[in-house]
Amino acid sequence: MIVAIDGPSGSGKSSVAREVARRCGLTYLDTGAMYRSVAHACLSRGVNPEDAPAVAEVARTVRIEFLPGEDGQRVLVDGEDATTQSRTPEVERAVPPVSATPEVRETMVAIQRQFGAAGNVVAEGRDIGTVVFPGADVKVFLSASPEARARRRAVQRQGGNLATGHDVAVDADAERAILADLVRRDDYDSSREASPLRPAEDAHRIDSSELSFEQVVKAIIELSPELAARAEGRRS
Ligand code: DC
């Protein structure tokens, strides 16, 4: 079975998708990490992220591997651990033009479909339900207000995690800057020509602004009798 979870950054979809996969015995696929890996490879190879033909070549030749890690999944780019580096501000700036390049998307979508061909996957990103797996068994579009998403990111940057109830104090200016950046990125992702961020018509929409992590995970599992049975089967 294939579960597609799409939504804007900071909606909590990565932690939620990982947890649904864990509880239901499915494999987790983080497609955002793939676009980040291509952006990281461009920077390490000295390729300008705006140079579409050169970026497309990087996407065709880069080797991206996922490994299980102690604190979540680790990403290897061309054989080197890039888990931390793929979240730096430099990569954050490079990834929008990289992921808006149609040839990059074609290459990544082909890899994602190969991954899905084995079945039993929870894939999360922006275009999973619309482009990558339009026939997915369960489609979710997870959103949250920009303010709620900015707060989660700000807490995460200070080492906390609202998903697990680990709240920490955050600087109000830093939170405002994150909010401005989120709104800018949402506009860019939703208005780009190649696979803009939008819900699939048949996606279940969940707004997580006022929901706990546990409530969102449960709401998704309850959408499908097969998911519920898998989760139940693994508990007993
Ligand atoms: O989910 P994330 O923040 O790790 O995604 C990183 C970037 O990749 C973000 O700018 C959106 C883009 N992305 C995309 O265009 N398509 C996807 N399926 C996943 C991510």
Side-chain angles (χ1 to χ4, degrees):
M1 90 173 300
I2 297 206
V3 180
I5 303 184
D6 290 301
S9 53
S11 56
K13 62 185 187 316
S14 296
S15 359
V16 163
R18 198 179 297 122
E19 184 61 12
V20 171
R22 191 190 69 76
R23 288 194 199 175
C24 300
L26 302 168
T27 308
Y28 167 62
L29 177 63
D30 176 358
T31 64
M34 297 175 69
Y35 291 98
R36 287 172 185 277
S37 297
V38 177
H40 173 67
C42 287
L43 299 180
S44 353
R45 294 185 195 181
V47 166
N48 177 352
E50 309 272 350
D51 180 350
V55 170
E57 179 60 17
V58 172
R60 276 193 292 274
T61 53
V62 70
R63 215 171 70 239
I64 304 170
E65 296 161 275
F66 292 111
L67 297 179
E70 269 171 31
D71 45 356
Q73 209 165 42
R74 307 206 66 75
V75 187
L76 301 193
V77 178
D78 287 331
E80 283 188 21
D81 192 328
T83 315
T84 314
Q85 292 91 319
S86 66
R87 299 216 160 257
T88 58
E90 290 75 23
V91 171
E92 293 276 340
R93 273 193 297 275
V95 72
V98 165
S99 61
T101 306
E103 294 84 351
V104 170
R105 303 204 71 86
E106 266 167 45
T107 307
M108 294 301 116
V109 168
I111 299 172
Q112 291 155 16
R113 288 189 180 143
Q114 267 171 21
F115 200 92
N120 294 345
V121 170
V122 179
E124 56 110 337
R126 305 291 192 286
D127 59 343
I128 309 299
T130 49
V131 175
V132 184
F133 299 123
D137 302 273
V138 180
K139 292 186 191 177
V140 174
F141 192 83
L142 189 61
S143 60
S145 67
E147 291 74 18
R149 292 188 283 130
R151 171 131 194 91
R152 287 178 192 153
R153 271 286 143 89
V155 169
Q156 216 173 31
R157 292 220 178 132
Q158 291 303 313
N161 185 354
L162 291 179
T164 57
H166 178 197
D167 201 356
V168 292
V170 294
D171 178 66
D173 284 342
E175 193 175 328
R176 262 195 298 278
I178 292 174
L179 176 61
D181 189 51
L182 267 179
V183 171
R184 210 173 27 245
R185 197 125 69 91
D186 283 356
D187 280 350
Y188 189 95
D189 286 347
S190 318
S191 59
R192 71 178 177 211
E193 236 168 77
S195 306
L197 171 68
R198 64 176 172 81
E201 269 173 25
D202 51 349
H204 297 273
R205 296 171 189 232
I206 299 178
D207 183 328
S208 70
S209 311
E210 305 288 330
L211 298 178
S212 69
F213 172 72
E214 184 60 28
Q215 284 171 321
V216 178
V217 170
K218 280 209 174 117
I220 294 176
I221 292 176
E222 282 163 12
L223 285 174
S224 145
E226 184 175 345
L227 280 181
R230 280 177 160 272
E232 190 54 38
R234 291 173 67 84
R235 264 198 317 157
S236 51

